[in-house]
Amino acid sequence: MNDHIRPQPGIMDIALYEGGKASVAGVANIVKLSSNENPFGPSDRAKEAFQRSAHQLHRYPSTDHAALREAIAETHGLDPARIICGVGSDEIIHFLCQAYAGPKDEVVYTEHGFLMYRISAMAAGATPVEVPERERTTDVDAILRACNRRTKLVFIANPNNPTGTMISAAEVERLAKGLPPHAILVLDGAYAEYVEGFDAGAALIETRDNVVMTRTFSKIYGLGGLRIGWGYGPKHIIDVLNRIRGPFNLSNTQLDAAEAAVRDQDYVAKCRADNARMRHWLAEALAELGVPSDTSMANFILARFASPDEAEACDIFLQSQGLIVRRVASYKLPNCLRITIGDEAACRRVAHAIGQFKGVK
């Protein structure tokens, strides 16, 4: 190691992000339920757009993402000039920290919030501030108590990952109103499409100049492998973010597939309905086995076990049965397993396997 070449302070304190496991050595017929992916994949329209894009691989993409922004705006009733597109919503989160937080600034997030909030804050040289939740749910009063003159960004996911819980629009508005005047509230809506009629904070953004939302095509749209996200906010914030966005951060393939996906809202509605049906079924089935979970509004449930040892043992047993779920000790939930809602066959396999583990005949 060269002692003269060193990264910026704090970079080496960042723990590497670990994605959901995808395989188990020596086990066939794997069902991956560790990354909250749509088990049905993308819509046919999105797949057709992806295939057509092969004819344009030698062409640079647009720098303004105009067609995709217009499609998003038409679908959600938004102003296309206030939409920014990125490499997953992760990139929008990173842009926000890069643009608005730095040394001596603080970035607030909740106890069981998405790990990228902390990572992006530290990458920008800012101090991450973790705030307790109340029964695995965002606590607005705790967040407001944590804010001070150094607070620049506040991140909440609604619904939250990995808990699946969410707070009301009234509580989100109370949080936005209570922040210091120099702080931005970021509403992570990665799972917003799983909630019927939910705008993820879009209406609030129209009335305030300190709120931004992020969204993704990785979940209900089934395009996790392409990495496409977007954000919406006040013009003055989006203008800042576009100044640090790479001009060709999204390829033609990403742009075309995402545009086709967002215009296929019939497919989104079907995926939402199927997810809600099997989410309810799986939560009830596990509860009957003595494995409770909070009411989830996303495409996963957070199964709670009696102890970290039991959660780990159950995970090992599930892997032996070809079922990969997500341990969430890194989210300070060591006695829990996050289980993606798969198709009906996958959900029934999970319930049967956990019943075997619990010794239920």
Side-chain angles (χ1 to χ4, degrees):
M1 180 176 179
N2 189 325
D3 291 336
H4 300 287
I5 300 175
R6 298 178 181 177
Q8 290 291 324
I11 297 295
M12 296 308 295
D13 295 326
I14 298 174
L16 292 175
Y17 182 90
E18 293 185 19
K21 193 172 182 179
S23 62
V24 179
V27 179
N29 194 22
I30 289 292
V31 176
K32 183 187 175 190
L33 302 170
S34 58
S35 296
N36 301 339
E37 297 153 332
N38 184 338
F40 307 109
S43 73
D44 288 341
R45 293 186 191 178
K47 288 185 281 192
E48 289 165 5
F50 175 88
Q51 292 168 346
R52 287 195 302 271
S53 74
H55 301 293
Q56 298 295 320
L57 293 181
H58 58 303
R59 301 296 186 192
Y60 277 97
S62 71
T63 60
D64 62 5
H65 311 148
L68 176 55
R69 289 189 295 105
E70 187 63 40
I72 292 170
E74 290 178 8
T75 299
H76 296 288
L78 305 176
D79 177 0
R82 294 161 57 193
I83 295 172
I84 182 173
C85 300
V87 183
S89 54
D90 296 5
E91 188 174 41
I92 311 300
I93 291 167
H94 189 75
F95 288 160
L96 285 159
C97 289
Q98 184 181 356
Y100 289 100
K104 299 184 180 179
D105 294 330
E106 293 182 352
V107 174
V108 174
Y109 62 98
T110 65
E111 178 181 10
H112 306 305
F114 185 34
L115 294 176
M116 285 307 300
Y117 308 149
R118 175 182 177 85
I119 290 173
S120 294
M122 295 178 71
T127 300
V129 176
E130 182 182 286
V131 175
E133 296 181 10
R134 182 183 300 164
E135 295 296 316
R136 297 166 300 280
T137 303
T138 296
D139 186 336
V140 169
D141 291 317
I143 291 174
L144 292 176
R145 286 194 296 269
C147 292
N148 55 51
R149 62 182 177 83
R150 294 183 295 276
T151 306
K152 294 299 177 65
L153 293 162
V154 173
F155 286 97
I156 68 166
N158 204 37
N160 187 45
N161 170 33
T163 63
T165 59
M166 65 184 296
I167 59 174
S168 68
E171 281 290 273
V172 173
E173 184 172 5
R174 184 166 74 88
L175 175 56
K177 289 180 176 179
L179 292 183
H182 52 270
I184 299 171
L185 173 61
V186 183
L187 304 174
D188 182 345
Y191 299 93
E193 286 84 1
Y194 287 102
V195 184
E196 182 74 38
F198 182 48
D199 75 351
L204 182 63
I205 292 170
E206 303 300 350
T207 65
R208 303 196 60 83
D209 66 357
N210 68 333
V211 183
V212 175
M213 74 171 172
T214 63
R215 305 283 283 271
T216 186
F217 284 90
S218 296
K219 303 306 178 184
I220 206 166
Y221 289 105
L223 294 173
L226 283 186
R227 312 303 304 124
I228 313 150
W230 59 280
Y232 186 66
K235 191 175 188 302
H236 69 97
I237 293 177
I238 299 303
D239 176 65
V240 169
L241 302 186
N242 272 318
R243 292 172 186 273
I244 59 175
R245 176 181 62 82
F248 302 110
N249 61 324
L250 291 180
S251 68
N252 283 322
T253 298
Q254 291 167 295
L255 294 168
D256 293 349
E259 181 183 351
V262 79
R263 291 191 183 281
D264 194 352
Q265 287 299 305
D266 288 343
Y267 183 76
V268 172
K270 181 184 183 303
C271 291
R272 179 168 51 242
D274 287 346
N275 176 79
R277 177 173 59 87
M278 293 313 303
R279 180 181 63 201
H280 175 77
W281 183 89
L282 184 59
E284 289 287 311
L286 296 191
E288 291 177 3
L289 296 172
V291 182
S293 59
D294 298 313
T295 298
S296 172
M297 302 304 293
N299 68 332
F300 56 85
I301 61 172
L302 185 69
R304 300 200 306 275
F305 293 83
S307 68
D309 287 344
E310 186 185 30
E312 181 178 353
C314 184
D315 180 45
I316 292 171
F317 179 77
L318 289 175
Q319 289 184 48
S320 74
Q321 302 301 300
L323 297 165
I324 304 177
V325 300
R326 182 72 177 266
R327 295 188 195 180
V328 284
S330 60
Y331 284 93
K332 301 191 175 181
L333 293 162
N335 66 318
C336 299
L337 296 176
R338 191 190 69 190
I339 306 172
T340 302
I341 305 302
D343 60 17
E344 183 168 349
C347 289
R348 291 187 180 279
R349 277 184 65 181
V350 168
H352 178 71
I354 292 180
Q356 288 182 305
F357 170 77
K358 298 286 281 186
V360 176
K361 299 295 184 182

